[in-house]
Amino acid sequence: MKYFYAYPGQPEFIGQMIKSASDMRRGTGKTIQCWSENDISGRLLTDPIYEEIRNCDALIADITKLNFNVVFEAGFAIGVGKKVFYTVNDGANNQSERIDEIGIFDNIGYDKYDNSEKLAKLVGDFVNTEPLFTDYPKNPKAPIYILEHRTRTDGLTRIISRTKKSRIRFQSFNPDESVRLSAFEAVQKVAESAGVIVPLASSRLKEAANHNIRAAFVAGLAKGMNKPTLIIQDYDGPAPLDVRELVRVFRHPDEINDFVAEFAENVMEVIQSIEPAPKDKLPPLTHMRIGDPMAENEMGAISSYYVSTDEYLRVAQGDANVVVGRKGMGKTALFTHLRNSKRNNKKNIIVDLKPEGYQIIKLREELVDYITDGAKQHLFVAFWEYLLYMEIAYKLLEKDMTLRLRDNQLNEIYSELETIYEKQESLSEGDFSERLLILSDLIRQRFASKYGQPDNSIRLTNSDVTELVYSHALPEIKKAVFEYMSLKNEIWILFDNLDKGWPAEGIDAVDALLLRCLIDATKKIQRDMRKHAVSCRSVVFIRNDVYELLMKNSSDFGKEIQVSLDWSDENVLATMILMRLSQEKDLDFYPVFHKYFARLHKGEDTFNHLIERSIMRPRNLIKIIIHCRSFAINLRKDRIDEECITKGLEVYSNDVIKEADEEISDIEPNARKLLYKFIGENPELGKDKVNEIISAHSDTLNIDKIIEYMMYFGFFGIEIAGKEAKYINDFQYNMDIMTALVEKSQGNFRYKLNPAFWPVLAIA
């Protein structure tokens, strides 16, 4: 048996140790082929390496120091159907913390060594050469997979915008939604895709190192599976040696258009040649469809299994204009189902907008701070009003592009609106995210042209602001839209994502004003529409922590009619999972669930066991099920048994503590990694012990405030007078009730660590 060993050139002692182990293995039946033996003069490094990986029995990748080329080769090996083992030098200054953060290694695990003798023995002990499962059925509803990085650069925005323009649906990994990428998830997403886009992160971005390691793995998978792959980077990002001939480099975002267009043509060729795999040749669990934890990846399918709760019905009936909920509670799912439902009426116009908050950062930083408070409010309302009317016009033109050719009356109105719309400089191009960015830039350019550099002496009037935003074009656009809507039914304006990526306590008065003015602009549009006998509804979707802070910063924000998506009923979650597992009507949950899952786990009902660890977030519950299923598929099991549940919960526990750590450290940076200090502790802790652990972590922290955050995010529950522990969801997410009960207990309480965190904290 021959192993191909991939390892970084630095530090040198790693390679020396591996070569020594290779010498020890000669003639033993399990030999090691080192990458340096393939450094053939005059040939690209990729050619001999690909050949050796295809010809080996398994690949070993040393990840003591994370290296793009090594991880790319590991991904490539999995893609061509080879088993991959990972090793880490335990005696070196390894990167175990980064390995945990990235996520792609802990599904598979890695073995440690500290000298060549132990490494040689380790290789001899490798037994299971069964590769990861890669024969997932293709996903025709989202044929493209995009690996996003956290910072929404102009380049990434353009990539996504151009992909949407191709009319080929995509799904993506978004680190704002899932902080870690599991190997199983990456393998499945690449395997079921017809093409893969991998943007490399510029070294200017703080998340570049971790993202580019994930990028190496995904790009390697795609190359190994022979998928059309677009690896793309800014000009200042050096292309790694192994893939330099595969990387497309751009200096300006406009160059991305041609890259994506060429890629999309290749993907369409693949889509047209795909034949469905015979169901009887696939493992049973590959037919288990649970959907994706991110509703953004389920745009085309989510309405088929959406649970229409009372909250949804209130929004759909127009009884609420704000939807609030914690991360992972289903805001985007409601957004998507509402949009799809209202689209069923062909005469409805649905303006569904999902920007990223960063797109107006430049406007804030370079202009907003230099105008008066009154002018700020006028600026933001005018900004949103103009942009929303432009989006309504865009949707009308998009919807009737073909229909107008068969309707003379419509064609006349269409042509008039089209002429007015296309006069608005560059705003007629791209998608909404691009147009939002373009308008921000135009306003700044107009300001600089008229007033020079901003300074505190400049005071703008309302008419000055109007001139900056739309130069008197708005009345003409409004008139054309009102006339056009006489042929339609109603307009729904749905706005999601503006607060995406905002830290919970990082919102200031300008952010509050920004959202306040968005809602004011939608109300102004609704009033204008009513005057012209047009029905118009609007709904803004925001996180509940942002909503609470907005209420503090805006005296009348509480007047908005809002619904909350906080989940506290286990039966509703069971219904949600049932709808995903089987779309047949009138089925009981447990027979369907037990078709896939063992009935008991550690003596408890399996579903209740998973619910307790989900922190009552639908996304978390779906993640747990996906992790468990992935282990079962890769262990070639027909059903998810106790072993797979245990392994799945371990990976999920790593995910959830990382997410909680990021959420808490967004609020209090000095609390970063605090949650890990509870490793090995008892699950029930008195106040003194908790105070001691927090104080030992940092003496600058406000202990009571940090504990409150930990309860809010579900890390701690409370046991009062020996009764069963209750968590934030048991109090309908009302922290005031929870803290009042703690105070009223007069010290007769204990904190309870949420079982979701037990595996990662080594709590039995």
Side-chain angles (χ1 to χ4, degrees):
M1 182 172 286
K2 183 176 76 172
Y3 296 102
F4 182 83
Y5 215 134
Y7 57 90
Q10 296 295 327
E12 290 185 6
F13 75 85
I14 296 290
Q16 293 167 356
M17 205 172 287
I18 291 171
K19 289 174 185 175
S20 295
S22 175
D23 292 339
M24 295 177 192
R25 296 300 316 170
R26 293 188 192 282
T28 64
K30 288 187 177 181
T31 59
I32 299 173
Q33 177 80 16
C34 297
W35 72 270
S36 58
E37 295 170 37
N38 294 288
D39 192 5
I40 302 171
S41 177
R43 293 179 65 186
L44 286 175
L45 187 58
T46 51
D47 293 334
I49 281 187
Y50 295 158
E51 183 180 342
E52 287 291 343
I53 291 174
R54 286 192 176 97
N55 292 334
C56 73
D57 295 297
L59 180 136
I60 309 171
D62 194 276
I63 54 172
T64 306
K65 297 291 184 183
L66 290 168
N67 173 278
F68 189 101
N69 294 354
V70 171
V71 177
F72 179 89
E73 290 155 18
F76 178 82
I78 293 171
V80 297
K82 302 296 180 180
K83 173 73 174 180
V84 174
F85 300 95
Y86 295 105
T87 59
V88 169
N89 189 302
D90 201 28
N93 182 20
N94 59 57
Q95 297 178 306
S96 57
E97 186 173 309
R98 279 190 63 204
I99 289 172
D100 289 340
E101 289 174 351
I102 291 168
I104 58 176
F105 308 105
D106 56 359
N107 286 112
I108 305 167
Y110 51 85
D111 294 288
K112 297 180 180 180
Y113 67 94
D114 52 21
N115 58 56
S116 53
E117 289 82 4
K118 288 186 178 179
L119 179 56
K121 182 180 184 305
L122 189 66
V123 173
D125 291 339
F126 289 153
V127 176
N128 180 16
T129 57
E130 186 85 46
L132 292 184
F133 182 83
T134 59
D135 293 329
Y136 289 94
K138 299 300 181 283
N139 181 1
K141 294 181 178 178
I144 293 175
Y145 180 55
I146 302 177
L147 185 79
E148 300 182 39
H149 48 69
R150 188 180 297 276
T151 303
R152 283 283 171 163
T153 59
D154 292 356
L156 181 58
T157 299
R158 182 63 62 89
I159 289 169
I160 292 174
S161 172
R162 290 294 116 178
T163 304
K164 290 178 181 177
K165 283 284 185 180
S166 74
R167 298 296 181 184
I168 305 176
R169 290 181 182 243
F170 68 90
Q171 53 185 326
S172 69
F173 170 78
N174 186 325
D176 273 333
E177 302 296 335
S178 300
V179 295
R180 299 177 347 120
L181 175 66
S182 78
F184 294 159
E185 177 188 350
V187 169
Q188 179 178 345
K189 296 299 186 185
V190 173
E192 67 184 19
S193 297
V196 179
I197 300 179
V198 184
L200 300 180
S202 165
S203 55
R204 301 189 307 264
L205 307 179
K206 68 177 183 178
E207 76 270 19
N210 284 357
H211 169 80
N212 288 339
I213 291 298
R214 293 190 189 110
F217 186 73
V218 170
L221 285 171
K223 175 71 175 175
M225 294 181 195
N226 200 29
K227 305 280 184 179
T229 307
L230 176 59
I231 308 173
I232 189 167
Q233 67 175 24
D234 202 340
Y235 72 94
D236 68 346
L241 180 61
D242 276 12
V243 292
R244 67 179 185 267
E245 85 283 6
L246 303 176
V247 176
R248 309 298 294 270
V249 179
F250 67 91
R251 286 183 171 271
H252 188 277
D254 286 348
E255 297 174 67
I256 293 171
N257 298 358
D258 291 337
F259 296 161
V260 175
E262 179 185 342
F263 167 78
E265 289 180 7
N266 294 334
V267 170
M268 284 304 301
E269 290 181 10
V270 173
I271 292 172
Q272 291 165 5
S273 66
I274 290 176
E275 295 183 4
K279 288 190 175 183
D280 58 347
K281 293 187 177 180
L282 293 173
L285 286 172
T286 60
H287 305 305
M288 172 188 168
R289 299 299 296 175
I290 191 65
D292 194 280
M294 282 179 55
E296 289 87 347
N297 290 337
E298 293 283 291
M299 292 296 188
I302 202 165
S303 288
S304 64
Y305 48 67
Y306 187 82
V307 179
S308 296
T309 60
D310 178 65
E311 288 80 9
Y312 167 78
L313 295 174
R314 287 177 58 198
V315 176
Q317 291 164 3
D319 295 337
N321 67 330
V322 178
V323 175
V324 302
R326 296 153 67 91
K327 184 177 178 180
M329 289 294 189
K331 296 188 300 299
T332 301
L334 194 156
F335 174 100
T336 305
H337 184 53
L338 179 65
R339 179 198 65 183
N340 295 349
S341 174
K342 295 302 178 183
R343 276 180 177 171
N344 288 335
N345 185 326
K346 301 300 183 184
K347 285 199 169 186
N348 285 346
I349 302 300
I350 314 303
V351 184
D352 52 323
L353 307 174
K354 295 173 67 66
E356 305 290 346
Y358 93 97
Q359 286 143 354
I360 54 171
I361 288 175
K362 290 180 181 178
L363 182 68
R364 281 202 45 175
E365 291 177 346
E366 299 183 24
L367 179 59
V368 170
D369 290 342
Y370 298 99
I371 61 179
T372 63
D373 289 343
K376 281 189 184 96
Q377 183 164 352
H378 187 72
L379 169 67
F380 282 147
V381 172
F383 177 89
W384 289 127
E385 185 185 15
Y386 176 55
L387 197 60
L388 290 173
Y389 269 111
M390 286 291 290
E391 289 307 307
I392 293 170
Y394 175 83
K395 290 291 183 180
L396 288 165
L397 296 173
E398 180 187 49
K399 186 178 182 69
D400 290 344
M401 188 181 301
T402 303
L403 184 62
R404 53 86 63 100
L405 301 176
R406 305 192 299 268
D407 186 326
N408 289 334
Q409 181 188 10
L410 177 64
N411 187 51
E412 183 178 343
I413 300 177
Y414 186 101
S415 298
E416 181 182 350
L417 179 62
E418 185 179 41
T419 300
I420 295 169
Y421 180 78
E422 290 181 348
K423 285 195 303 186
Q424 306 309 307
E425 300 187 58
S426 303
L427 289 179
S428 59
E429 291 297 319
D431 68 354
F432 176 66
S433 293
E434 284 187 277
R435 291 191 288 275
L436 180 56
L437 189 59
I438 290 167
L439 181 57
S440 297
D441 286 338
L442 285 173
I443 292 171
R444 292 184 299 109
Q445 291 167 16
R446 290 169 185 163
F447 184 94
S449 175
K450 188 168 184 178
Y451 302 101
Q453 291 300 314
D455 64 61
N456 291 322
S457 65
I458 297 173
R459 292 292 179 266
L460 303 182
T461 65
N462 287 354
S463 60
D464 292 332
V465 168
T466 298
E467 183 69 23
L468 284 175
V469 176
Y470 50 76
S471 302
H472 306 294
L474 184 59
E476 188 179 23
I477 296 168
K478 290 169 67 173
K479 182 176 181 296
V481 166
F482 296 149
E483 184 177 1
Y484 203 113
M485 281 304 300
S486 65
L487 303 178
K488 299 296 178 182
N489 187 13
E490 63 180 0
I491 294 177
W492 281 80
I493 301 172
L494 309 179
F495 213 106
D496 192 13
N497 271 12
L498 189 63
D499 59 354
K500 194 170 189 175
W502 287 1
E505 289 287 332
I507 300 166
D508 60 19
V510 177
D511 292 321
L513 183 63
L514 182 67
L515 269 177
R516 171 73 269 171
C517 290
L518 169 60
I519 292 174
D520 287 346
T522 60
K523 287 182 174 179
K524 189 171 188 295
I525 292 171
Q526 287 175 288
R527 289 194 298 270
D528 290 344
M529 292 285 183
R530 275 199 300 271
K531 291 176 183 176
H532 293 81
V534 177
S535 174
C536 180
R537 310 275 190 181
S538 71
V539 188
V540 176
F541 297 73
I542 56 176
R543 295 190 334 237
N544 62 347
D545 52 345
V546 173
Y547 178 78
E548 290 166 8
L549 288 161
L550 287 173
M551 290 183 66
K552 295 177 183 177
N553 285 283
S554 181
S555 59
D556 63 342
F557 203 82
K559 297 177 182 177
E560 306 304 332
I561 303 173
Q562 58 95 11
V563 298
S564 173
L565 293 186
D566 294 326
W567 296 61
S568 56
D569 189 336
E570 295 180 6
N571 292 325
V572 179
L573 282 173
T575 302
M576 183 266 293
I577 296 298
L578 174 62
M579 294 286 286
R580 286 171 174 257
L581 291 176
S582 176
Q583 294 175 30
E584 294 183 36
K585 295 182 179 180
D586 303 322
L587 294 179
D588 290 333
F589 170 72
Y590 282 101
V592 174
F593 184 75
H594 291 147
K595 175 182 175 183
Y596 301 105
F597 274 87
R599 289 179 176 274
L600 299 176
H601 183 66
K602 296 185 177 181
E604 299 178 33
D605 175 82
T606 296
F607 186 68
N608 288 344
H609 191 85
L610 302 186
I611 283 278
E612 286 180 1
R613 284 147 183 81
S614 71
I615 320 182
M616 295 301 288
R617 298 190 187 189
R619 180 184 298 171
N620 286 10
L621 184 56
I622 296 167
K623 280 185 179 180
I624 294 171
I625 293 174
I626 288 173
H627 284 317
C628 296
R629 184 192 62 178
S630 295
F631 276 105
I633 289 173
N634 282 287
L635 292 172
R636 293 351 188 231
K637 297 188 177 184
D638 294 338
R639 196 159 174 254
I640 301 168
D641 60 15
E642 287 204 64
E643 178 188 10
C644 300
I645 295 169
T646 297
K647 290 179 178 292
L649 287 172
E650 287 172 356
V651 175
Y652 163 72
S653 190
N654 267 291
D655 291 345
V656 77
I657 198 170
K658 177 65 178 170
E659 290 172 0
D661 178 62
E662 291 213 351
E663 289 189 55
I664 292 173
S665 57
D666 271 346
I667 300 170
E668 177 46 75
N670 289 334
R672 184 169 294 277
K673 304 298 181 185
L674 168 62
L675 303 186
Y676 295 90
K677 297 300 173 66
F678 290 85
I679 288 177
E681 295 292 341
N682 291 323
E684 295 89 14
L685 298 164
K687 183 171 176 59
D688 290 344
K689 183 62 178 177
V690 172
N691 290 356
E692 177 188 327
I693 293 171
I694 296 173
S695 298
H697 178 75
S698 172
D699 58 9
T700 65
L701 295 173
N702 180 324
I703 292 176
D704 290 339
K705 201 69 178 172
I706 287 296
I707 291 175
E708 186 174 315
Y709 293 149
M710 293 164 88
M711 291 194 296
Y712 179 79
F713 290 114
F715 185 74
F716 278 144
I718 53 172
E719 288 183 347
I720 297 178
K723 295 180 181 179
E724 184 179 353
K726 292 187 179 295
Y727 297 88
I728 185 66
N729 56 279
D730 294 308
F731 301 100
Q732 286 70 51
Y733 301 89
N734 189 324
M735 273 303 304
D736 291 336
I737 297 175
M738 200 170 182
T739 53
L741 285 173
V742 169
E743 293 173 3
K744 195 172 181 179
S745 72
Q746 297 181 337
N748 188 19
F749 77 96
R750 293 173 71 82
Y751 295 109
K752 179 71 175 284
L753 287 166
N754 194 308
F757 301 93
W758 289 10
V760 72
L761 296 178
I763 296 172

